[in-house]
Amino acid sequence: MQSRQTRYGALTVASAFVAYLVPMTLFAPVAHSQVRVPAAALVDQAELQRVLQEGADLERNRHWSDALHHYEKGLKAFPGQRSIEERLTLSRVHWDIVRRSHDSSYVGSVNAMSELQSLDLYAEVLLKVHAHYVTTPDWRAVAQRGALFLEVALDEPGFTDRYLPSVTPEQKRAFIAELRRTMAMRVVRSRYEARDAAAAIAHLAAARLGLASSATVCEFTCGALGSLDQYTSFLTAAQLDEVFSQIEGNFVGLGVELKAEDHALLIVNVIKGGPADAAGIKSGDRITEVDRKSMYDITTDQAADMLRGTEGSSVDLLVVGPEARERQVQVRRARVEVPSVEGVQLIDPDYGVGYMRISSFQKTTVADADAALWDLHRQGMRSLIIDVRGNPGGLLTASVELADKFLEKGVIVSTRGRSSQEDFDYQAHAAGTWRMPLVVLIDGDSASASEIFAGAIHDHHRGQVVGETSYGKGSVQGIFPLTGAKSGVRLTTAKFFSPSGQAISDRGVTPDMVVRTVAKPEAVAGGTIAESKEDRVLQAGVQVARQQISQRQ
C-alpha cells in the first residue's frame, strides 16, 4: 500500500516535466582508489537521459499521444525503469483526459448528469470492477487514481476552459494541496468507501472552485478504471460505438488507416471502395489540414477525432502527396466494410505457396478466411503463409475458430480469471481441418488474439512461426455497457495461456525463426501483397514454405 501512495505523490507533479532530467552521478570519488564504470553503462545512462529528455519535450508541447508512444518504446528498451514508467502513466492520464474533452458524446453526458446520477454511474462502474475484474482490486488505489485524474484535468486547458474559465492558478494550487491532504486522511477499504471519497471531493471542488460535481465524479470514474491496467478503460458513447463497429467489421468514416506524423496524419492504408478511395486519396498521402485547421494548430488526436462524424456528412482535407503536391479534397463520410483478410494470392506459384494477411480478428474473419482458403486451394496451394504482423487482436473466439481450422485436437488457449466462470479451455476439433504446411508471420505489434493464434500453432508444432517476438498482451477484455448513461467499460476479466501453459502477458510468443529486420508488406495495385526483397520476414517465410513442400515430396 505504501508504494502505491508514494507513486501517487510523484505522479501528481504534472508540471514538473524536467524532474527526471537532472544529470545523474554515475560514480563518486573514493579516497585512494579509482572506480571504473563500464562503457556500456555510460552509454545506457546517456540513452536513458535522451529518452527522458525527448519525452519531456513532447510533454511540454502537450503532444500526449506522441509522448505515450515514445515512453512505451522507451520502456521496451529499459524494462522496469521507474522514471519511464511514471512518465508513461502520467502521459496516459493526460491523453485520456484530452481525448474525452474533445468527445462531444462524453461532454454532453457530463453536462446532462446531476451529482446523484454521476455518483450512481461511478457506483455502477465500481460494481462491474468488483464482479468481473481479473484480480481483487485495491480500493484505496482506485480512489487515489481518481484524485490523480482530477488533478491532471486541472492542468489541461480543454478541461479548465470548459468548466473553470475564471479560476486562478493560485486557487488551483490551493485546491490541489487540500485534495492531497483530504485523500491522505481518508480510509478506503471497499467500493462503498471509494464512492464516498468521490462524493466528498466533489463537494470540496464545488465549494473551492465552483466545479460541477458531475465533472469531478466522472474523473473519478475514469480514474477508477485507469488504476487497474492499461487495457481497462471507460468508454464514452462514441468510443463504445467504435468498439462495436470494430467487432462487426464496419464503421462510419473515411475508410483510411492513419498514423500520427510530425504535424500531419500519414495515410498508411486506404480501404478499397471506401470514401477516401473514391476521393482519390492514396497510401503515402499526408493530411495537413482538417476543415481548414492546420495540423500545426491542433494535435493529431484532435485531427483524427475531427475525421469522425455522422453518415452522409463531409470533411474538407488538405492532402499532400509523396511529391509534395498539395490538393484540397472533400470526402463524404459513409459506412465502410473493413476486410479482415487481405492480400490473398499464390505468392510463389511454382511451389504453390499461398498467402493471406489477417489485419484484425472480427466477426467476419473466419468466413473471410474460409473463402480465401478455398480460393487458394483452387489455384493449387500446397503451403500457406498467414501474416498477422501488425494485427492488434480483436475477438478471442475468432482467433480460436481460425486456429481450429488448422489443428485437429488439443487445447488452443486457456483463460483463467478471478471467477471460475472465466476459466475455460478452448479445444480444437478434427472436422474441417486444413492439413497443408503452415507458416505464421509475427512481429512486435502482433497482440492479443494474434498471439492466441500464433501461440497455438507454435505449441502444437503445427507450423513454423517466423519474425519477431510478439507484443505480449495476454489478457482478455469484456465490454460492459452501462445503464446509468450511454457509455461502457472495457474490463480485463481473465489472463490467457498458450497450449503449453505459457503465460503470454509481458512475454509474447517467441518465433521458431527470428528475423529482426521487419518491413511491412508492400501494397500494390489490386490490393494484393507483392513479394518484396526488402521484406526480410516475408522472404524468410517463403523459404520456410518451400522447404516444407520439398520435405513432403
Side-chain angles (χ1 to χ4, degrees):
M1 181 69 73
Q2 182 61 40
S3 62
R4 280 286 190 151
Q5 294 173 1
T6 303
R7 175 169 291 190
Y8 170 75
L11 289 175
T12 55
V13 189
S15 59
F17 295 132
V18 295
Y20 300 99
L21 304 179
V22 178
M24 299 181 66
T25 302
L26 298 177
F27 59 89
V30 179
H32 310 296
S33 65
Q34 291 184 336
V35 178
R36 294 180 60 85
V37 178
L42 291 171
V43 171
D44 287 346
Q45 291 296 335
E47 177 63 16
L48 174 60
Q49 293 304 309
R50 184 194 66 78
V51 169
L52 292 171
Q53 179 64 63
E54 290 184 4
D57 291 341
L58 292 169
E59 292 184 49
R60 196 173 291 110
N61 291 308
R62 297 190 177 277
H63 294 163
W64 298 115
S65 178
D66 295 336
L68 180 59
H69 295 143
H70 172 77
Y71 287 129
E72 285 178 341
K73 184 177 178 181
L75 201 56
K76 287 185 178 181
F78 295 94
Q81 179 60 239
R82 185 173 179 182
S83 57
I84 297 180
E85 289 177 343
E86 290 172 340
R87 305 319 298 177
L88 171 62
T89 299
L90 190 57
S91 296
R92 184 173 285 122
V93 174
H94 273 281
W95 179 73
D96 184 57
I97 291 169
V98 169
R99 285 203 66 185
R100 284 187 282 108
S101 68
H102 290 95
D103 187 328
S104 59
S105 67
Y106 174 78
V107 173
S109 179
V110 173
N111 292 340
M113 278 191 290
S114 65
E115 177 185 338
L116 181 58
Q117 287 172 325
S118 64
L119 285 169
D120 286 345
L121 181 68
Y122 184 43
E124 184 181 3
V125 167
L126 297 180
L127 177 59
K128 298 288 188 189
V129 172
H130 170 74
H132 301 289
Y133 190 63
V134 64
T135 59
T136 302
D138 179 344
W139 295 112
R140 179 172 176 78
V142 166
Q144 290 279 18
R145 183 58 68 91
L148 170 61
F149 266 57
L150 177 60
E151 186 171 334
V152 173
L154 295 175
D155 186 52
E156 275 301 330
F159 183 89
T160 55
D161 290 350
R162 175 171 284 109
Y163 298 111
L164 300 169
S166 302
V167 171
T168 66
E170 292 75 16
Q171 287 176 300
K172 286 195 289 187
R173 282 195 293 269
F175 170 75
I176 288 171
E178 191 171 1
L179 167 65
R180 293 179 181 180
R181 290 194 300 269
T182 302
M183 290 302 299
M185 291 186 296
R186 288 201 74 91
V187 175
V188 181
R189 295 162 298 190
S190 69
R191 58 190 173 95
Y192 305 106
E193 291 176 340
R195 180 195 180 280
D196 292 343
I201 298 301
H203 295 158
L204 183 66
R208 301 292 187 267
L209 303 175
L211 182 60
S213 293
S214 60
T216 298
V217 176
C218 284
E219 290 306 318
F220 269 78
T221 301
C222 297
L225 296 162
S227 70
L228 301 173
D229 62 67
Q230 62 177 308
Y231 307 115
T232 292
S233 63
F234 181 83
L235 298 172
T236 68
Q239 290 170 337
L240 186 63
D241 288 342
E242 187 175 340
V243 167
F244 285 131
S245 293
Q246 291 171 352
I247 291 172
E248 296 291 339
N250 66 79
F251 64 95
V252 172
L254 307 187
V256 293
E257 181 182 346
L258 302 169
K259 179 181 179 182
E261 203 177 61
D262 186 30
H263 300 298
L265 292 174
L266 175 66
I267 306 294
V268 177
N269 185 39
V270 179
I271 296 175
K272 187 177 180 180
D277 183 36
I281 294 175
K282 306 292 184 185
S283 297
D285 285 346
R286 296 164 64 248
I287 298 173
T288 58
E289 285 186 10
V290 180
D291 282 337
R292 309 294 176 178
K293 291 189 177 181
S294 170
M295 294 289 293
Y296 281 88
D297 300 325
I298 58 177
T299 67
T300 53
D301 289 329
Q302 288 174 300
D305 287 340
M306 290 171 66
L307 297 181
R308 301 184 179 94
T310 57
E311 188 172 4
S313 62
S314 298
V315 60
D316 292 317
L317 308 175
L318 181 62
V319 179
V320 180
E323 297 178 357
R325 288 188 297 180
E326 294 183 344
R327 63 189 191 276
Q328 285 289 154
V329 180
Q330 185 178 77
V331 186
R332 187 179 180 86
R333 299 180 182 94
R335 187 158 296 281
V336 180
E337 298 295 328
V338 184
S340 66
V341 179
E342 302 173 307
V344 179
Q345 64 175 290
L346 278 186
I347 200 166
D348 185 344
D350 293 338
Y351 277 81
V353 179
Y355 174 93
M356 70 170 69
R357 177 174 179 262
I358 312 293
S359 58
S360 65
F361 286 94
Q362 57 197 41
K363 281 190 174 181
T364 62
T365 298
V366 176
D368 292 345
D370 265 336
L373 286 166
W374 284 111
D375 182 26
L376 291 170
H377 175 71
R378 286 189 290 269
Q379 294 181 53
M381 173 181 61
R382 301 167 65 195
S383 180
L384 175 63
I385 297 174
I386 297 181
D387 191 346
V388 293
R389 289 177 294 170
N391 183 324
L395 288 177
L396 178 149
T397 51
S399 65
V400 167
E401 289 173 15
L402 185 64
D404 196 9
K405 292 191 173 298
F406 303 101
L407 298 171
E408 294 186 9
K409 61 181 179 180
V411 173
I412 294 174
V413 66
S414 299
T415 61
R416 297 291 182 267
R418 182 160 56 112
S419 166
S420 60
Q421 295 178 339
E422 301 295 338
D423 296 348
F424 198 79
D425 297 325
Y426 293 85
Q427 300 281 342
H429 308 87
T433 299
W434 290 79
R435 295 176 175 81
M436 83 289 285
L438 195 62
V439 178
V440 179
L441 308 184
I442 63 173
D443 65 6
D445 293 323
S446 303
S448 192
S450 300
E451 295 174 289
I452 290 176
F453 176 75
I457 299 303
H458 176 273
D459 285 7
H460 283 286
H461 306 287
R462 173 60 182 82
Q464 293 288 300
V465 179
V466 177
E468 289 187 311
T469 300
S470 62
Y471 184 84
K473 181 188 175 295
S475 58
V476 180
Q477 282 71 46
I479 307 300
F480 299 89
L482 299 172
T483 60
K486 189 179 185 301
S487 54
V489 296
R490 179 191 287 113
L491 198 62
T492 298
T493 58
K495 301 288 186 181
F496 66 75
F497 301 83
S498 71
S500 64
Q502 174 74 52
I504 301 296
S505 288
D506 301 321
R507 301 179 69 170
V509 176
T510 303
D512 299 294
M513 176 184 290
V514 177
V515 183
R516 298 198 179 280
T517 302
V518 178
K520 284 192 174 182
E522 178 185 343
V524 297
T528 59
I529 303 298
E531 184 178 0
S532 169
K533 292 182 179 179
E534 296 178 359
D535 190 344
R536 292 184 57 197
V537 175
L538 180 57
Q539 289 296 306
V542 170
Q543 290 300 321
V544 170
R546 289 170 178 166
Q547 292 170 7
Q548 290 173 333
I549 294 169
S550 298
Q551 291 169 0
R552 283 198 166 193
Q553 292 176 344

